[in-house]
């Protein structure tokens, strides 16, 4: 789609394209950082995942770290955004419920930590769903490659 078509669509307001790019950089950048943390803190995260009953926790942590890095980069550069944002939304919702089940924790301090992590993941999943909704619209300042 041409730049003129973008001007008359979703990003037609002055500064909207630049604000959307900033949002993508912030959102995707945080997810890339979170994914890299899966690798730099692999043993501790695998221990936590194992405690939560995740099978093959080391492999699961490495896989989800890769998912976060690739999904975050897809949002930042605007390539394969339907796949990236969709995978992020599914993972974030699943990990919110499966890993941060604060309603089962008795210790008040641990319960608060788990609730914070649960709410963070749900909020990030909501943002990923919002980006997924825009997956069929050409994004400004994006590579524009994708399956759909």
């Amino acid at each position: 789609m041409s730049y003129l078509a973008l001007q008359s669509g979703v990003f037609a307001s002055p500064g909207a394209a630049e604000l959307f790019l900033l949002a993508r950089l912030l959102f995707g950048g945080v997810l890339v950082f979170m994914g890299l943390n899966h690798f730099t803190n692999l043993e501790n995260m695998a221990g936590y995942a194992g405690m939560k009953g995740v099978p093959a926790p080391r492999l699961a942590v490495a896989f989800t770290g890769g998912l976060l890095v690739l999904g975050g980069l897809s949002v930042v550069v605007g390539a394969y955004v339907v796949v990236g944002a969709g995978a992020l939304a599914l993972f974030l919702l699943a990990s919110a419920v499966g890993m941060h089940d604060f309603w089962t924790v008795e210790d008040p301090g641990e319960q608060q930590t788990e609730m914070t992590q649960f709410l963070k993941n749900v909020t990030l999943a909501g943002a990923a769903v919002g980006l997924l909704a825009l997956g069929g619209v050409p994004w400004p300042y994006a590579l524009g490659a994708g399956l759909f």
Side-chain angles (χ1 to χ4, degrees), residues 30-47:
V30 165
L31 291 167
V32 169
F33 177 80
M34 288 169 55
L36 292 174
N37 188 51
H38 277 60
F39 296 107
T40 61
N41 205 7
L42 182 63
E43 294 306 320
N44 289 337
M45 293 186 89

Side-chain angles (χ1 to χ4, degrees), residues 126-138:
V129 169
L131 292 169
L132 182 59
L134 293 172
V137 175

Side-chain angles (χ1 to χ4, degrees), residues 100-144:
H100 303 299
D101 51 350
F102 66 91
W103 53 91
T104 66
V105 178
E106 292 184 23
D107 177 80
E110 287 180 41
Q111 186 180 51
Q112 183 63 52
T113 298
E114 291 295 349
M115 184 173 17
T116 300
Q117 294 302 313
F118 174 88
L119 294 172
K120 172 206 45 129
N121 280 16
V122 170
T123 300
L124 289 171
V129 169
L131 292 169
L132 182 59
L134 293 172
V137 175
W139 288 8
Y141 306 109
L143 293 179

